[in-house]
Amino acid sequence: MRILKDALLVLISLALSVVIAEGVVRYIDGYPILLTPLGEPMGLASVKQESVDKVPRAAGVERAWFFDDPAPLPNKRAVPEDWERLYRFVEANPVGGMWFRPSDAFKVWNTSFSGDPCHHWFLRHAPGQLFLYDAPDGQPRPPYRFLPDVTIPSGLTTNQIGWRGPPIENPRPERTVRIVFVGSSTVVESHHLPYSWPEYVGHWMNVWSRAKGLGIRFEVLNAGRESIKSSDIAAVVRTEVLPLRPDLVVYHEGGNQFRPASIVDKVPDVPVTRPSNAQEPAAVKWLKETARYSALIGRVQAGFAMAGASTGNNSGAEWPKPDYKVIWPEGLDEMNPDLDFANLPVNLNLIQKDLDQIRADLATVGADMALTSFFWMVKDGMVVDPVRHRFIIEQLNAANWPYRYRDLERLANFQNRLFAKYAAVHGIAFLDLVGNTPFDPDLFVDAVHTSYAGTRIRGWAAFNLLVPLVEKKLADKAWPRPWPAGASTALPTFSPRLTKLECKAP
């Protein structure tokens, strides 16, 4: 009896030790203590101290500011129950090859883009209803806006004009510098994150202003929305940003028009070849599955993966790719790109045309423009954790099949060199986010979108890059600017309408 009692005590002690260890590892890795499956690491505990220290700080910026959070959004609302039901229905019943996502049901689609939604290749998959609006200029760009003044089930909270973030006061108050970030999903960010990186930038700019006793308020706004391209962004600037008369507009995009086929002679018509798990030891398979529910097991699994315990191509390395021939455009200097070259890779001719339009439009209201480099989490020979970084692996190897890491890296670097030269030639600011952000897959959920930690680090890098620019503008008395006499103060609002759909199956 004594032996059984002692054995029971040992088992209880072991179980408690495992539970405590799991809690400690979850806290260290930034996972919610009680959540299963684990999901994405969230909170400051998920941010590596070395990542913070690798971001160069502008003169006068205190490291402690990084750990300071913005105030909660004053316009966050309860999500209506019927919206929750609709969101979960679309989530549980993917249609159209999973093109139509749950959050798409809460976008307000431009009728010039949608036409008859039942004849639209994408919108015909809507779940019996759509929000629509009529663009004032009758143009199909941008294709949609977010619903104004709501919180939707994905977590996104919008202001009066459907932008992510707090309400906008127009005209901007005196001694206020208004900065607007434009771009796609890497600007608006994942809806469930508490803040986007532009929101962190705005918060830290105001912390910096108070520390320096400037008496100036910085209002940083986020006009980003997922899946749009440079021409859509130009339309957003023209129709939504200009009425706000910003002091600075920051353009950040480089993924949605990134087409590696532009330098490939003939793309191999070979189906995606995913690594097989058939040869993996049962223990490795068990570790991979269990790691979804246990941070402690995840550490063990990662250790085995790093030590090469996984077999074949399941170790987090690049998948085998079919051979193809890269044809770099003849006469194009890769290190010093010619902006006027007729056949630039990855749609950079069209992107430049749209950047030209944005600059011209901003000049009409006296606003400045800045351009950023764009981060692709890819490097030739890169090996990542097959569990934590599986979406990086999927995006690079499946979504960008059959292009090799080295070619994706090459094109990403070329794109950023061209952005830097474009900024220099046209006299606009260039914010090198890539050069000031650690190359760390833990900062990313896939090859371009950041995790909670990455979002915060990206905001910190952007803030530190903006400080010298802002200091110069303040010293030159260029900012803050008074609202022009007689200029309209109307916000670029719009009127969504809910439309029922009864589309017949094609």
Side-chain angles (χ1 to χ4, degrees):
M1 189 69 178
R2 175 69 180 273
I3 294 174
L4 288 174
K5 188 178 293 185
D6 288 345
L8 183 61
L9 288 173
V10 169
L11 289 173
I12 293 173
S13 297
L14 284 172
L16 285 173
S17 298
V18 169
V19 169
I20 292 170
E22 175 70 19
V24 168
V25 173
R26 286 190 177 205
Y27 175 78
I28 292 172
D29 289 350
Y31 289 109
I33 298 298
L34 300 178
L35 181 68
T36 55
L38 291 176
E40 178 188 336
M42 296 281 281
L44 281 170
S46 68
V47 183
K48 300 174 185 175
Q49 298 296 316
E50 57 265 32
S51 294
V52 182
D53 294 330
K54 285 179 180 177
V55 177
R57 294 203 311 274
V61 170
E62 299 290 337
R63 183 181 186 275
W65 297 349
F66 175 85
F67 303 96
D68 196 47
D69 280 325
L73 288 175
N75 53 330
K76 193 172 182 65
R77 294 168 168 79
V79 179
E81 289 185 10
D82 57 330
W83 284 14
E84 286 280 9
R85 286 194 297 270
L86 178 62
Y87 188 92
R88 302 307 166 198
F89 172 81
V90 178
E91 190 174 48
N93 298 275
V95 292
M98 298 187 70
W99 282 106
F100 198 91
R101 297 162 298 184
S103 60
D104 292 331
F106 301 94
K107 293 170 180 173
V108 189
W109 297 92
N110 182 344
T111 53
S112 297
F113 167 80
S114 69
D116 179 351
C118 288
H119 292 128
H120 194 280
W121 70 273
F122 165 66
L123 296 177
R124 64 186 175 85
H125 299 293
Q129 64 175 51
L130 270 184
F131 289 99
L132 299 172
Y133 82 102
D134 298 322
D137 60 2
Q139 297 301 308
R141 300 180 187 277
Y144 72 91
R145 298 178 69 165
F146 292 123
L147 280 165
D149 280 328
V150 298
T151 297
I152 63 175
S154 62
L156 184 74
T157 294
T158 62
N159 55 33
Q160 315 99 297
I161 63 173
W163 290 3
R164 177 173 189 158
I168 301 172
E169 185 178 347
N170 221 38
R172 61 178 181 274
E174 291 186 5
R175 297 191 63 75
T176 295
V177 173
R178 176 171 285 171
I179 301 173
V180 178
F181 282 77
V182 297
S184 188
S185 56
T186 55
V187 171
V188 72
E189 296 276 25
S190 297
H191 296 186
H192 72 278
L193 292 176
Y195 305 101
S196 62
W197 61 276
E199 290 170 271
Y200 284 114
V201 171
H203 173 65
W204 291 323
M205 289 300 304
N206 283 303
V207 172
W208 172 76
S209 178
R210 289 192 296 269
K212 290 181 69 70
L214 298 178
I216 291 173
R217 173 177 171 262
F218 290 88
E219 181 192 46
V220 178
L221 303 173
N222 188 336
R225 63 207 67 174
E226 58 264 18
S227 304
I228 63 174
K229 300 178 182 179
S230 59
S231 299
D232 302 312
I233 298 169
V236 169
V237 170
R238 184 182 68 254
T239 60
E240 301 174 32
V241 175
L242 291 187
L244 300 179
R245 295 184 170 270
D247 297 293
L248 177 69
V249 170
V250 182
Y251 180 104
H252 176 81
E253 171 43 23
N256 288 341
Q257 289 156 280
F258 193 82
R259 298 291 180 264
S262 57
I263 62 164
V264 174
D265 180 33
K266 184 179 180 182
V267 180
D269 186 17
V270 180
V272 177
T273 306
R274 296 173 182 269
S276 171
N277 293 330
Q279 302 303 314
E280 279 192 324
V284 173
K285 291 182 180 180
W286 180 85
L287 281 173
K288 282 187 176 181
E289 180 60 26
T290 310
R292 295 179 56 229
Y293 300 88
S294 167
L296 189 61
I297 295 298
R299 289 291 188 94
V300 174
Q301 187 277 331
F304 273 101
M306 291 176 65
S310 297
T311 61
N313 296 300
N314 294 287
S315 60
E318 181 176 2
W319 298 356
K321 306 284 174 63
D323 194 27
Y324 56 82
K325 185 178 181 180
V326 172
I327 305 294
W328 190 259
E330 185 178 355
L332 177 59
D333 188 337
E334 191 169 347
M335 296 298 116
N336 184 24
D338 178 2
L339 301 185
D340 295 323
F341 192 83
N343 187 29
L344 290 167
V346 290
N347 289 294
L348 286 167
N349 297 99
L350 173 59
I351 292 169
Q352 282 192 91
K353 179 182 177 183
D354 292 324
L355 292 175
D356 290 343
Q357 184 63 59
I358 292 171
R359 285 191 303 109
D361 286 339
L362 291 177
T364 65
V365 295
D368 289 296
M369 180 180 177
L371 185 60
T372 74
S373 55
F374 189 87
F375 207 124
W376 274 86
M377 176 47 61
V378 63
K379 192 180 288 292
D380 188 26
M382 180 177 73
V383 178
V384 296
D385 182 274
V387 173
R388 291 205 317 273
H389 308 137
R390 67 188 181 96
F391 293 120
I392 295 176
I393 296 171
E394 287 282 330
Q395 186 171 11
L396 293 178
N397 292 282
N400 282 283
W401 177 267
Y403 306 109
R404 295 181 287 257
Y405 283 10
R406 66 173 179 266
D407 297 322
L408 296 173
E409 179 188 11
R410 179 183 183 182
L411 282 172
N413 290 339
F414 177 79
Q415 177 173 252
N416 287 329
R417 286 189 208 103
L418 186 136
F419 285 163
K421 185 168 182 179
Y422 181 93
V425 167
H426 295 291
I428 64 176
F430 180 68
L431 308 179
D432 187 12
L433 294 180
V434 174
N436 288 268
T437 303
F439 189 90
D440 181 353
D442 284 342
L443 299 178
F444 288 78
V445 292
D446 60 28
V448 296
H449 298 97
T450 47
S451 61
Y452 171 89
T455 293
R456 201 165 182 125
I457 290 291
R458 180 172 287 172
W460 186 240
F463 159 62
N464 280 281
L465 289 166
L466 277 171
V467 164
L469 169 63
V470 171
E471 282 186 314
K472 186 176 187 310
K473 289 291 184 179
L474 296 180
D476 293 343
K477 308 297 183 182
W479 297 350
R481 299 182 302 156
W483 194 267
S488 172
T489 62
L491 286 168
T493 55
F494 62 110
S495 301
R497 61 180 183 274
L498 184 60
T499 303
K500 298 296 182 182
L501 296 180
E502 296 182 1
C503 301
K504 297 178 181 178

PDB file of all heavy atoms in Angstrom, residues 426-456:
ATOM      1  N   HIS A 426      13.311  60.927 -57.381  1.00  0.00           N
ATOM      2  CA  HIS A 426      12.154  61.822 -57.292  1.00  0.00           C
ATOM      3  C   HIS A 426      12.129  62.655 -56.014  1.00  0.00           C
ATOM      4  O   HIS A 426      11.148  63.372 -55.755  1.00  0.00           O
ATOM      5  CB  HIS A 426      10.867  61.021 -57.440  1.00  0.00           C
ATOM      6  CG  HIS A 426      10.712  60.391 -58.788  1.00  0.00           C
ATOM      7  ND1 HIS A 426      10.484  61.130 -59.927  1.00  0.00           N
ATOM      8  CD2 HIS A 426      10.791  59.088 -59.194  1.00  0.00           C
ATOM      9  CE1 HIS A 426      10.399  60.321 -60.969  1.00  0.00           C
ATOM     10  NE2 HIS A 426      10.587  59.085 -60.555  1.00  0.00           N
ATOM     11  N   GLY A 427      13.196  62.561 -55.221  1.00  0.00           N
ATOM     12  CA  GLY A 427      13.311  63.422 -54.051  1.00  0.00           C
ATOM     13  C   GLY A 427      12.306  63.151 -52.959  1.00  0.00           C
ATOM     14  O   GLY A 427      11.845  64.085 -52.284  1.00  0.00           O
ATOM     15  N   ILE A 428      11.945  61.893 -52.783  1.00  0.00           N
ATOM     16  CA  ILE A 428      11.039  61.541 -51.685  1.00  0.00           C
ATOM     17  C   ILE A 428      11.795  60.664 -50.685  1.00  0.00           C
ATOM     18  O   ILE A 428      12.845  60.086 -50.995  1.00  0.00           O
ATOM     19  CB  ILE A 428       9.769  60.814 -52.182  1.00  0.00           C
ATOM     20  CG1 ILE A 428      10.114  59.469 -52.829  1.00  0.00           C
ATOM     21  CG2 ILE A 428       8.995  61.703 -53.152  1.00  0.00           C
ATOM     22  CD1 ILE A 428       8.900  58.666 -53.258  1.00  0.00           C
ATOM     23  N   ALA A 429      11.275  60.566 -49.472  1.00  0.00           N
ATOM     24  CA  ALA A 429      11.946  59.799 -48.423  1.00  0.00           C
ATOM     25  C   ALA A 429      11.858  58.302 -48.700  1.00  0.00           C
ATOM     26  O   ALA A 429      10.838  57.809 -49.211  1.00  0.00           O
ATOM     27  CB  ALA A 429      11.318  60.115 -47.075  1.00  0.00           C
ATOM     28  N   PHE A 430      12.928  57.583 -48.385  1.00  0.00           N
ATOM     29  CA  PHE A 430      12.938  56.124 -48.489  1.00  0.00           C
ATOM     30  C   PHE A 430      13.172  55.552 -47.099  1.00  0.00           C
ATOM     31  O   PHE A 430      14.180  55.854 -46.450  1.00  0.00           O
ATOM     32  CB  PHE A 430      14.032  55.643 -49.442  1.00  0.00           C
ATOM     33  CG  PHE A 430      14.083  54.143 -49.595  1.00  0.00           C
ATOM     34  CD1 PHE A 430      13.055  53.458 -50.223  1.00  0.00           C
ATOM     35  CD2 PHE A 430      15.160  53.415 -49.086  1.00  0.00           C
ATOM     36  CE1 PHE A 430      13.090  52.076 -50.362  1.00  0.00           C
ATOM     37  CE2 PHE A 430      15.211  52.037 -49.227  1.00  0.00           C
ATOM     38  CZ  PHE A 430      14.180  51.364 -49.866  1.00  0.00           C
ATOM     39  N   LEU A 431      12.241  54.747 -46.637  1.00  0.00           N
ATOM     40  CA  LEU A 431      12.332  54.114 -45.323  1.00  0.00           C
ATOM     41  C   LEU A 431      12.722  52.653 -45.526  1.00  0.00           C
ATOM     42  O   LEU A 431      11.901  51.841 -45.974  1.00  0.00           O
ATOM     43  CB  LEU A 431      10.998  54.220 -44.585  1.00  0.00           C
ATOM     44  CG  LEU A 431      10.374  55.618 -44.481  1.00  0.00           C
ATOM     45  CD1 LEU A 431       9.043  55.560 -43.746  1.00  0.00           C
ATOM     46  CD2 LEU A 431      11.322  56.592 -43.807  1.00  0.00           C
ATOM     47  N   ASP A 432      13.959  52.322 -45.216  1.00  0.00           N
ATOM     48  CA  ASP A 432      14.456  50.968 -45.470  1.00  0.00           C
ATOM     49  C   ASP A 432      14.079  50.039 -44.315  1.00  0.00           C
ATOM     50  O   ASP A 432      14.900  49.731 -43.439  1.00  0.00           O
ATOM     51  CB  ASP A 432      15.965  50.985 -45.668  1.00  0.00           C
ATOM     52  CG  ASP A 432      16.504  49.614 -46.094  1.00  0.00           C
ATOM     53  OD1 ASP A 432      15.682  48.742 -46.451  1.00  0.00           O
ATOM     54  OD2 ASP A 432      17.730  49.430 -46.061  1.00  0.00           O
ATOM     55  N   LEU A 433      12.839  49.590 -44.326  1.00  0.00           N
ATOM     56  CA  LEU A 433      12.374  48.680 -43.283  1.00  0.00           C
ATOM     57  C   LEU A 433      13.148  47.367 -43.303  1.00  0.00           C
ATOM     58  O   LEU A 433      13.449  46.798 -42.251  1.00  0.00           O
ATOM     59  CB  LEU A 433      10.878  48.401 -43.456  1.00  0.00           C
ATOM     60  CG  LEU A 433       9.931  49.583 -43.238  1.00  0.00           C
ATOM     61  CD1 LEU A 433       8.491  49.141 -43.443  1.00  0.00           C
ATOM     62  CD2 LEU A 433      10.108  50.163 -41.847  1.00  0.00           C
ATOM     63  N   VAL A 434      13.467  46.870 -44.501  1.00  0.00           N
ATOM     64  CA  VAL A 434      14.173  45.593 -44.611  1.00  0.00           C
ATOM     65  C   VAL A 434      15.550  45.685 -43.970  1.00  0.00           C
ATOM     66  O   VAL A 434      15.970  44.805 -43.211  1.00  0.00           O
ATOM     67  CB  VAL A 434      14.287  45.159 -46.085  1.00  0.00           C
ATOM     68  CG1 VAL A 434      15.139  43.902 -46.221  1.00  0.00           C
ATOM     69  CG2 VAL A 434      12.901  44.932 -46.680  1.00  0.00           C
ATOM     70  N   GLY A 435      16.267  46.754 -44.261  1.00  0.00           N
ATOM     71  CA  GLY A 435      17.610  46.908 -43.720  1.00  0.00           C
ATOM     72  C   GLY A 435      17.647  47.194 -42.236  1.00  0.00           C
ATOM     73  O   GLY A 435      18.710  47.133 -41.616  1.00  0.00           O
ATOM     74  N   ASN A 436      16.490  47.506 -41.637  1.00  0.00           N
ATOM     75  CA  ASN A 436      16.443  47.841 -40.214  1.00  0.00           C
ATOM     76  C   ASN A 436      15.592  46.871 -39.408  1.00  0.00           C
ATOM     77  O   ASN A 436      15.226  47.164 -38.267  1.00  0.00           O
ATOM     78  CB  ASN A 436      15.914  49.267 -40.041  1.00  0.00           C
ATOM     79  CG  ASN A 436      16.916  50.314 -40.476  1.00  0.00           C
ATOM     80  OD1 ASN A 436      17.696  50.801 -39.675  1.00  0.00           O
ATOM     81  ND2 ASN A 436      16.923  50.641 -41.754  1.00  0.00           N
ATOM     82  N   THR A 437      15.275  45.717 -40.014  1.00  0.00           N
ATOM     83  CA  THR A 437      14.479  44.694 -39.338  1.00  0.00           C
ATOM     84  C   THR A 437      15.255  43.384 -39.304  1.00  0.00           C
ATOM     85  O   THR A 437      15.819  42.990 -40.328  1.00  0.00           O
ATOM     86  CB  THR A 437      13.135  44.478 -40.064  1.00  0.00           C
ATOM     87  OG1 THR A 437      12.428  45.715 -40.136  1.00  0.00           O
ATOM     88  CG2 THR A 437      12.269  43.455 -39.338  1.00  0.00           C
ATOM     89  N   PRO A 438      15.310  42.695 -38.172  1.00  0.00           N
ATOM     90  CA  PRO A 438      16.033  41.422 -38.110  1.00  0.00           C
ATOM     91  C   PRO A 438      15.440  40.390 -39.071  1.00  0.00           C
ATOM     92  O   PRO A 438      14.224  40.333 -39.251  1.00  0.00           O
ATOM     93  CB  PRO A 438      15.850  40.967 -36.654  1.00  0.00           C
ATOM     94  CG  PRO A 438      15.442  42.183 -35.907  1.00  0.00           C
ATOM     95  CD  PRO A 438      14.721  43.062 -36.871  1.00  0.00           C
ATOM     96  N   PHE A 439      16.321  39.594 -39.673  1.00  0.00           N
ATOM     97  CA  PHE A 439      15.857  38.490 -40.520  1.00  0.00           C
ATOM     98  C   PHE A 439      15.582  37.300 -39.598  1.00  0.00           C
ATOM     99  O   PHE A 439      16.473  36.527 -39.257  1.00  0.00           O
ATOM    100  CB  PHE A 439      16.914  38.131 -41.569  1.00  0.00           C
ATOM    101  CG  PHE A 439      16.422  37.152 -42.605  1.00  0.00           C
ATOM    102  CD1 PHE A 439      15.814  37.597 -43.766  1.00  0.00           C
ATOM    103  CD2 PHE A 439      16.528  35.779 -42.401  1.00  0.00           C
ATOM    104  CE1 PHE A 439      15.349  36.707 -44.724  1.00  0.00           C
ATOM    105  CE2 PHE A 439      16.059  34.874 -43.342  1.00  0.00           C
ATOM    106  CZ  PHE A 439      15.471  35.337 -44.506  1.00  0.00           C
ATOM    107  N   ASP A 440      14.322  37.181 -39.177  1.00  0.00           N
ATOM    108  CA  ASP A 440      13.956  36.184 -38.171  1.00  0.00           C
ATOM    109  C   ASP A 440      12.570  35.643 -38.521  1.00  0.00           C
ATOM    110  O   ASP A 440      11.587  36.385 -38.484  1.00  0.00           O
ATOM    111  CB  ASP A 440      13.936  36.826 -36.789  1.00  0.00           C
ATOM    112  CG  ASP A 440      13.591  35.840 -35.673  1.00  0.00           C
ATOM    113  OD1 ASP A 440      13.229  34.680 -35.969  1.00  0.00           O
ATOM    114  OD2 ASP A 440      13.677  36.237 -34.501  1.00  0.00           O
ATOM    115  N   PRO A 441      12.460  34.347 -38.861  1.00  0.00           N
ATOM    116  CA  PRO A 441      11.143  33.795 -39.230  1.00  0.00           C
ATOM    117  C   PRO A 441      10.120  33.870 -38.113  1.00  0.00           C
ATOM    118  O   PRO A 441       8.915  33.822 -38.383  1.00  0.00           O
ATOM    119  CB  PRO A 441      11.458  32.350 -39.617  1.00  0.00           C
ATOM    120  CG  PRO A 441      12.783  32.051 -39.004  1.00  0.00           C
ATOM    121  CD  PRO A 441      13.529  33.342 -38.970  1.00  0.00           C
ATOM    122  N   ASP A 442      10.555  33.994 -36.862  1.00  0.00           N
ATOM    123  CA  ASP A 442       9.597  34.114 -35.761  1.00  0.00           C
ATOM    124  C   ASP A 442       8.842  35.439 -35.803  1.00  0.00           C
ATOM    125  O   ASP A 442       7.851  35.608 -35.083  1.00  0.00           O
ATOM    126  CB  ASP A 442      10.309  33.977 -34.411  1.00  0.00           C
ATOM    127  CG  ASP A 442      10.675  32.535 -34.106  1.00  0.00           C
ATOM    128  OD1 ASP A 442      10.099  31.624 -34.734  1.00  0.00           O
ATOM    129  OD2 ASP A 442      11.547  32.316 -33.242  1.00  0.00           O
ATOM    130  N   LEU A 443       9.290  36.374 -36.622  1.00  0.00           N
ATOM    131  CA  LEU A 443       8.591  37.647 -36.770  1.00  0.00           C
ATOM    132  C   LEU A 443       7.518  37.595 -37.844  1.00  0.00           C
ATOM    133  O   LEU A 443       6.833  38.592 -38.090  1.00  0.00           O
ATOM    134  CB  LEU A 443       9.590  38.764 -37.107  1.00  0.00           C
ATOM    135  CG  LEU A 443      10.680  39.037 -36.067  1.00  0.00           C
ATOM    136  CD1 LEU A 443      11.619  40.133 -36.563  1.00  0.00           C
ATOM    137  CD2 LEU A 443      10.081  39.415 -34.725  1.00  0.00           C
ATOM    138  N   PHE A 444       7.353  36.425 -38.468  1.00  0.00           N
ATOM    139  CA  PHE A 444       6.438  36.299 -39.598  1.00  0.00           C
ATOM    140  C   PHE A 444       5.476  35.124 -39.401  1.00  0.00           C
ATOM    141  O   PHE A 444       5.845  34.113 -38.799  1.00  0.00           O
ATOM    142  CB  PHE A 444       7.217  36.104 -40.903  1.00  0.00           C
ATOM    143  CG  PHE A 444       7.917  37.343 -41.375  1.00  0.00           C
ATOM    144  CD1 PHE A 444       9.101  37.754 -40.789  1.00  0.00           C
ATOM    145  CD2 PHE A 444       7.362  38.124 -42.380  1.00  0.00           C
ATOM    146  CE1 PHE A 444       9.738  38.913 -41.198  1.00  0.00           C
ATOM    147  CE2 PHE A 444       7.998  39.291 -42.798  1.00  0.00           C
ATOM    148  CZ  PHE A 444       9.185  39.683 -42.210  1.00  0.00           C
ATOM    149  N   VAL A 445       4.252  35.270 -39.939  1.00  0.00           N
ATOM    150  CA  VAL A 445       3.318  34.142 -39.980  1.00  0.00           C
ATOM    151  C   VAL A 445       3.377  33.451 -41.330  1.00  0.00           C
ATOM    152  O   VAL A 445       3.051  32.277 -41.459  1.00  0.00           O
ATOM    153  CB  VAL A 445       1.865  34.568 -39.669  1.00  0.00           C
ATOM    154  CG1 VAL A 445       1.730  34.993 -38.228  1.00  0.00           C
ATOM    155  CG2 VAL A 445       1.401  35.678 -40.595  1.00  0.00           C
ATOM    156  N   ASP A 446       3.747  34.203 -42.374  1.00  0.00           N
ATOM    157  CA  ASP A 446       4.057  33.603 -43.671  1.00  0.00           C
ATOM    158  C   ASP A 446       5.219  34.407 -44.255  1.00  0.00           C
ATOM    159  O   ASP A 446       5.930  35.086 -43.503  1.00  0.00           O
ATOM    160  CB  ASP A 446       2.833  33.531 -44.592  1.00  0.00           C
ATOM    161  CG  ASP A 446       2.217  34.887 -44.902  1.00  0.00           C
ATOM    162  OD1 ASP A 446       2.949  35.902 -44.882  1.00  0.00           O
ATOM    163  OD2 ASP A 446       1.008  34.956 -45.183  1.00  0.00           O
ATOM    164  N   ALA A 447       5.419  34.358 -45.550  1.00  0.00           N
ATOM    165  CA  ALA A 447       6.620  34.978 -46.104  1.00  0.00           C
ATOM    166  C   ALA A 447       6.576  36.495 -46.154  1.00  0.00           C
ATOM    167  O   ALA A 447       7.607  37.137 -46.367  1.00  0.00           O
ATOM    168  CB  ALA A 447       6.887  34.423 -47.503  1.00  0.00           C
ATOM    169  N   VAL A 448       5.392  37.114 -45.973  1.00  0.00           N
ATOM    170  CA  VAL A 448       5.318  38.584 -46.012  1.00  0.00           C
ATOM    171  C   VAL A 448       4.539  39.184 -44.845  1.00  0.00           C
ATOM    172  O   VAL A 448       4.742  40.358 -44.514  1.00  0.00           O
ATOM    173  CB  VAL A 448       4.702  39.089 -47.341  1.00  0.00           C
ATOM    174  CG1 VAL A 448       5.577  38.719 -48.519  1.00  0.00           C
ATOM    175  CG2 VAL A 448       3.286  38.579 -47.547  1.00  0.00           C
ATOM    176  N   HIS A 449       3.660  38.416 -44.213  1.00  0.00           N
ATOM    177  CA  HIS A 449       2.827  38.957 -43.136  1.00  0.00           C
ATOM    178  C   HIS A 449       3.461  38.673 -41.778  1.00  0.00           C
ATOM    179  O   HIS A 449       3.935  37.563 -41.520  1.00  0.00           O
ATOM    180  CB  HIS A 449       1.421  38.354 -43.189  1.00  0.00           C
ATOM    181  CG  HIS A 449       0.700  38.672 -44.450  1.00  0.00           C
ATOM    182  ND1 HIS A 449       0.647  37.815 -45.524  1.00  0.00           N
ATOM    183  CD2 HIS A 449       0.005  39.778 -44.819  1.00  0.00           C
ATOM    184  CE1 HIS A 449      -0.047  38.365 -46.500  1.00  0.00           C
ATOM    185  NE2 HIS A 449      -0.447  39.561 -46.104  1.00  0.00           N
ATOM    186  N   THR A 450       3.433  39.675 -40.922  1.00  0.00           N
ATOM    187  CA  THR A 450       4.111  39.567 -39.638  1.00  0.00           C
ATOM    188  C   THR A 450       3.219  38.989 -38.544  1.00  0.00           C
ATOM    189  O   THR A 450       1.997  39.140 -38.561  1.00  0.00           O
ATOM    190  CB  THR A 450       4.624  40.944 -39.186  1.00  0.00           C
ATOM    191  OG1 THR A 450       3.583  41.923 -39.351  1.00  0.00           O
ATOM    192  CG2 THR A 450       5.829  41.370 -39.994  1.00  0.00           C
ATOM    193  N   SER A 451       3.881  38.365 -37.581  1.00  0.00           N
ATOM    194  CA  SER A 451       3.239  37.913 -36.354  1.00  0.00           C
ATOM    195  C   SER A 451       3.039  39.119 -35.441  1.00  0.00           C
ATOM    196  O   SER A 451       3.406  40.251 -35.784  1.00  0.00           O
ATOM    197  CB  SER A 451       4.143  36.892 -35.667  1.00  0.00           C
ATOM    198  OG  SER A 451       5.393  37.499 -35.335  1.00  0.00           O
ATOM    199  N   TYR A 452       2.489  38.875 -34.256  1.00  0.00           N
ATOM    200  CA  TYR A 452       2.358  39.968 -33.280  1.00  0.00           C
ATOM    201  C   TYR A 452       3.726  40.594 -33.029  1.00  0.00           C
ATOM    202  O   TYR A 452       3.882  41.820 -33.069  1.00  0.00           O
ATOM    203  CB  TYR A 452       1.772  39.453 -31.965  1.00  0.00           C
ATOM    204  CG  TYR A 452       1.805  40.484 -30.861  1.00  0.00           C
ATOM    205  CD1 TYR A 452       0.737  41.358 -30.689  1.00  0.00           C
ATOM    206  CD2 TYR A 452       2.911  40.600 -30.017  1.00  0.00           C
ATOM    207  CE1 TYR A 452       0.772  42.332 -29.694  1.00  0.00           C
ATOM    208  CE2 TYR A 452       2.953  41.576 -29.028  1.00  0.00           C
ATOM    209  CZ  TYR A 452       1.882  42.434 -28.864  1.00  0.00           C
ATOM    210  OH  TYR A 452       1.929  43.399 -27.889  1.00  0.00           O
ATOM    211  N   ALA A 453       4.730  39.758 -32.790  1.00  0.00           N
ATOM    212  CA  ALA A 453       6.071  40.271 -32.525  1.00  0.00           C
ATOM    213  C   ALA A 453       6.599  41.039 -33.723  1.00  0.00           C
ATOM    214  O   ALA A 453       7.182  42.125 -33.583  1.00  0.00           O
ATOM    215  CB  ALA A 453       7.014  39.117 -32.161  1.00  0.00           C
ATOM    216  N   GLY A 454       6.409  40.496 -34.923  1.00  0.00           N
ATOM    217  CA  GLY A 454       6.902  41.145 -36.125  1.00  0.00           C
ATOM    218  C   GLY A 454       6.211  42.465 -36.408  1.00  0.00           C
ATOM    219  O   GLY A 454       6.837  43.422 -36.886  1.00  0.00           O
ATOM    220  N   THR A 455       4.915  42.516 -36.141  1.00  0.00           N
ATOM    221  CA  THR A 455       4.167  43.756 -36.334  1.00  0.00           C
ATOM    222  C   THR A 455       4.719  44.858 -35.445  1.00  0.00           C
ATOM    223  O   THR A 455       4.919  46.000 -35.880  1.00  0.00           O
ATOM    224  CB  THR A 455       2.678  43.523 -36.030  1.00  0.00           C
ATOM    225  OG1 THR A 455       2.135  42.643 -37.028  1.00  0.00           O
ATOM    226  CG2 THR A 455       1.888  44.821 -36.023  1.00  0.00           C
ATOM    227  N   ARG A 456       4.991  44.494 -34.223  1.00  0.00           N
ATOM    228  CA  ARG A 456       5.524  45.481 -33.278  1.00  0.00           C
ATOM    229  C   ARG A 456       6.936  45.922 -33.670  1.00  0.00           C
ATOM    230  O   ARG A 456       7.274  47.107 -33.620  1.00  0.00           O
ATOM    231  CB  ARG A 456       5.508  44.877 -31.879  1.00  0.00           C
ATOM    232  CG  ARG A 456       5.553  45.898 -30.777  1.00  0.00           C
ATOM    233  CD  ARG A 456       5.163  45.294 -29.443  1.00  0.00           C
ATOM    234  NE  ARG A 456       5.186  46.324 -28.431  1.00  0.00           N
ATOM    235  CZ  ARG A 456       4.167  46.626 -27.644  1.00  0.00           C
ATOM    236  NH1 ARG A 456       3.027  45.976 -27.772  1.00  0.00           N
ATOM    237  NH2 ARG A 456       4.276  47.570 -26.732  1.00  0.00           N
TER     238      ARG A 456
END
